[in-house]
């Protein structure tokens, strides 16, 4: 009978602590979801590192649209919404339209606009920051996305997209949470016409 009571006690502690951890994770995920939900407009400079190459640019988000402007080393613009996207190479004066499904751009659009996007994610808390891990599919390849947040003040700082052959890192610098963006910068109209 004593062994049964001790076993029951350990089982109770295990279940309760697991529930507490899950509850704390759900609370943090909800905090992050609310953070994105309350961002009506957002802009930031960024540094991207991919295959040891460094690119710099600006990112703008308003409602369900995303604009990424690379300023260095090439001048390239992407404008994306859920089912349409435009690529514009300013240097070569090239415009191309495509469906952003299964692209990194779609991942970012969903992150900022889809309240259910972070479901089935894992959250890890570290000193001064947290990060969320989510598995995503890009061009039929599995990637692990990591979304890093500074805790005080609570804000998005970095995105990492990792698979077996590469790591793509977007570090956000100088974020502006109320930039009052003009809708024209999100136009999908051909900029060469």
């Amino acid at each position: 009978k004593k062994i049964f009571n001790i076993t029951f006690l350990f089982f109770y502690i295990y279940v309760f602590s697991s529930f507490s951890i899950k509850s704390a994770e759900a609370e943090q995920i909800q905090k992050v979801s609310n953070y994105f939900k309350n961002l009506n407009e957002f802009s930031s400079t960024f540094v991207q590192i991919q295959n040891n190459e460094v690119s710099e640019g600006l990112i703008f988000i308003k409602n369900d649209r995303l604009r990424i402007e690379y300023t260095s080393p090439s001048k390239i613009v992407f404008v994306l919404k859920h089912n349409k996207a435009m690529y514009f190479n300013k240097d070569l004066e090239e415009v191309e339209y495509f469906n952003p499904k299964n692209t990194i751009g779609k991942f970012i659009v969903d992150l900022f606009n889809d309240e259910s996007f972070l479901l089935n994610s894992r959250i890890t808390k570290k000193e001064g920051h947290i990060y969320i891990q989510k598995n995503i599919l890009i061009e039929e390849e599995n990637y692990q996305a990591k979304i890093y947040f500074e805790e005080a003040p609570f804000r998005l700082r970095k995105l990492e997209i990792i698979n077996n052959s590469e790591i793509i890192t977007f570090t956000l610098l100088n974020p502006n949470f109320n930039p009052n963006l003009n809708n024209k910068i999100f136009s999908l109209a051909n900029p060469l016409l």
Side-chain angles (χ1 to χ4, degrees):
K1 191 172 180 179
K2 192 174 189 180
I3 292 173
F4 175 77
N5 288 339
I6 291 172
T7 304
F8 179 75
L9 178 65
F10 282 119
F11 177 74
Y12 178 77
I13 290 170
Y14 173 77
V15 169
F16 182 73
S17 65
S18 294
F19 178 73
S20 295
I21 291 168
K22 295 278 186 209
S23 178
E25 280 187 11
E27 191 176 298
Q28 285 289 335
I29 293 288
Q30 188 60 51
K31 180 179 180 179
V32 171
S33 292
N34 289 339
Y35 171 86
F36 285 119
K37 183 179 171 183
N38 292 326
L39 283 179
N40 296 323
E41 296 184 31
F42 173 79
S43 68
S44 181
T45 57
F46 70 86
V47 174
Q48 174 185 327
I49 301 173
Q50 180 177 1
N51 300 327
N52 293 323
E53 293 182 20
V54 178
S55 301
E56 296 177 7
L58 304 159
I59 184 169
F60 305 94
I61 297 169
K62 184 173 182 176
N63 301 327
D64 65 342
R65 296 212 177 190
L66 167 71
R67 179 183 177 99
I68 299 172
E69 282 186 35
Y70 288 92
T71 56
S72 171
S74 299
K75 291 182 171 54
I76 296 173
V77 175
F78 288 93
V79 178
L80 302 105
K81 62 183 216 171
H82 285 289
N83 58 354
K84 293 180 185 174
M86 178 186 68
Y87 159 85
F88 173 41
N89 186 321
K90 290 182 176 182
D91 297 330
L92 301 176
E93 295 188 345
E94 274 181 340
V95 175
E96 187 176 320
Y97 292 91
F98 62 97
N99 186 336
K101 183 180 178 184
N102 295 327
T103 67
I104 291 173
K106 177 75 166 121
F107 156 69
I108 297 171
V109 168
D110 287 347
L111 177 63
F112 277 84
N113 293 295
D114 183 354
E115 289 183 40
S116 65
F117 182 73
L118 293 175
L119 296 177
N120 302 317
S121 299
R122 281 191 346 240
I123 194 160
T124 303
K125 188 171 172 115
K126 298 282 187 177
E127 177 98 20
H129 74 278
I130 63 167
Y131 69 90
I132 296 174
Q133 291 176 264
K134 179 171 178 69
N135 293 326
I136 57 173
L137 191 66
I138 300 174
E139 295 179 6
E140 299 181 14
E141 270 192 74
N142 288 315
Y143 285 78
Q144 182 182 68
K146 289 184 179 180
I147 306 141
Y148 291 84
F149 292 87
E150 186 176 22
E151 280 203 295
F154 189 79
R155 68 174 143 193
L156 178 64
R157 295 308 288 172
K158 182 168 76 169
L159 304 173
E160 276 185 349
I161 301 162
I162 305 160
N163 77 354
N164 293 332
S165 60
E166 69 180 338
I167 298 173
I168 304 166
T169 304
F170 297 92
T171 302
L172 300 175
L173 310 167
N174 307 314
N176 184 347
F177 299 98
N178 295 301
N180 195 18
L181 301 171
N182 187 329
N183 288 336
K184 290 181 182 178
I185 69 169
F186 298 99
S187 172
L188 288 166
N190 187 333
L192 298 176
L193 299 177

